[in-house]
Each structure stands twice: as C-alpha cells, then as structure tokens.
Amino acid sequence: MTHNPEGPQHLPLADLPTTDLSDLYPDAPVVAPLFREFGGRPRFTGRAVTLRVHENNPLVRETLSTPGEGRVLVVDGGGSLNCALLGGQLGELGERGGWAGVIVNGCVRDTAELQGLNLGIRALAAHPRRSGKQPGGERDVPVTFAGVTIHPGDRISADEDGILILPPDAHDPA
C-alpha cells in the first residue's frame, strides 16, 4: 500500500491504489470483478491500446511486438473460454517490449511462466489450448465487456482491489 502522510491528492496517479483513485474519481468505471491475476506484476497502470479478436491471436502477437512504452494492451476476446489468446511466449514479448500489462477478456495459458514475468496480466481463466492463427481482428477500437467500455488512450489502473478506467485527460492531483 502506498502511503503519503499528505494524503493521496499529492501522489502521481500511477502511484495511487485503485481504492484512492475510485475516491478521487467516483464516476470512473470499474471493471466487473471477473478477472484473475496471472502475471508477476500485481499493480500496473498505463494508457490503453485496444484489440478485438476472436479465438485467433496473430494481432495480439503483432501488437506485443511493438514498443509498449508503459501502455496496457486490452484484448477483447469476446469472453471466449475455448482457447488461450496469450501464453508464455507472448507474455515474454510484452515484458521485453516494455508493456505495463495485458487484460484479456478471454483465457491465457502457460500460467507458471506468466507468473514469473514483470508484466501485469488479467484474464478470465486459464485454458491449455492455444488459439487459432488466422489473421484478423480490429485495433484501436472501443471495446465493451465486464460492464465498461474502454477506449484507446484511456488510463487503466489495476491492482489487487480491481481495475479502474480513467479518462485520457485524467491528470495528477495538484
């Protein structure tokens, strides 16, 4: 827990727990508590890069192969529980590329490997089957799942208490 004797209003947003952010931004959407933690970084924050795919992950690989620059990849897999959209190899790509985290509205695999990465990872469940390799999907589109809509550029903050979506213009408290 981050503690500042002057109160949360004097910490940068990236250092605030979601509980304090929720108090500062009471209208900020909160992702329904459906997601499990799979990565080795329980707390992460960054700007959203969004994807919409269905049971195929080439676009996930392509995106994680680009510089993450501290951003969060949000993958809307339609909530499919039929295969994993992210595994150890793609998690390593994300870690090496400087991504802060990945949120998958779907499944992951290689969970022991994912736990060892310095990457925040949230997903609905684990699944041993890999995804298909057909190209396709959409990038940088609004995605809606778990009671929220996430737009490209939204600020994502995730920790042990949940996932909060702040608007792109949210700024550090004065």
Side-chain angles (χ1 to χ4, degrees):
M1 171 88 176
T2 304
H3 177 70
N4 180 352
E6 298 180 45
Q9 64 275 12
H10 297 288
L11 288 173
L13 288 179
D15 292 339
L16 291 176
T18 57
T19 52
D20 288 345
L21 287 170
S22 180
D23 292 346
L24 287 170
Y25 294 94
D27 294 330
V30 176
V31 176
L34 306 172
F35 291 81
R36 293 176 43 200
E37 187 178 312
F38 289 97
R41 184 191 293 181
R43 297 176 180 190
F44 59 94
T45 186
R47 301 285 180 178
V49 173
T50 60
L51 302 180
R52 184 179 300 122
V53 300
H54 182 70
E55 298 182 3
N56 289 285
N57 73 354
L59 188 56
V60 177
R61 175 180 292 279
E62 177 185 316
T63 304
L64 288 174
S65 296
T66 65
E69 301 170 338
R71 294 175 294 171
V72 175
L73 180 59
V74 179
V75 181
D76 183 3
S80 172
L81 301 177
N82 296 324
C83 64
L85 294 172
L86 178 86
Q89 289 180 357
L90 296 189
E92 288 176 11
L93 268 179
E95 179 185 52
R96 280 196 313 269
W99 291 84
V102 182
I103 298 170
V104 181
N105 183 30
C107 296
V108 297
R109 69 187 211 156
D110 304 322
T111 59
E113 291 176 48
L114 296 178
Q115 187 62 43
L117 299 175
N118 183 20
L119 182 68
I121 301 171
R122 298 294 192 284
L124 296 176
H127 198 293
R129 183 166 290 127
R130 68 180 182 179
S131 74
K133 302 303 174 197
Q134 294 298 316
E138 298 172 277
R139 182 180 166 146
D140 295 326
V141 295
V143 294
T144 302
F145 57 84
V148 300
T149 298
I150 301 170
H151 296 87
D154 281 351
R155 186 176 290 201
I156 308 287
S157 183
D159 64 16
E160 299 86 346
D161 289 313
I163 305 169
L164 192 70
I165 312 303
L166 298 174
D169 61 348
H171 54 73
D172 291 337

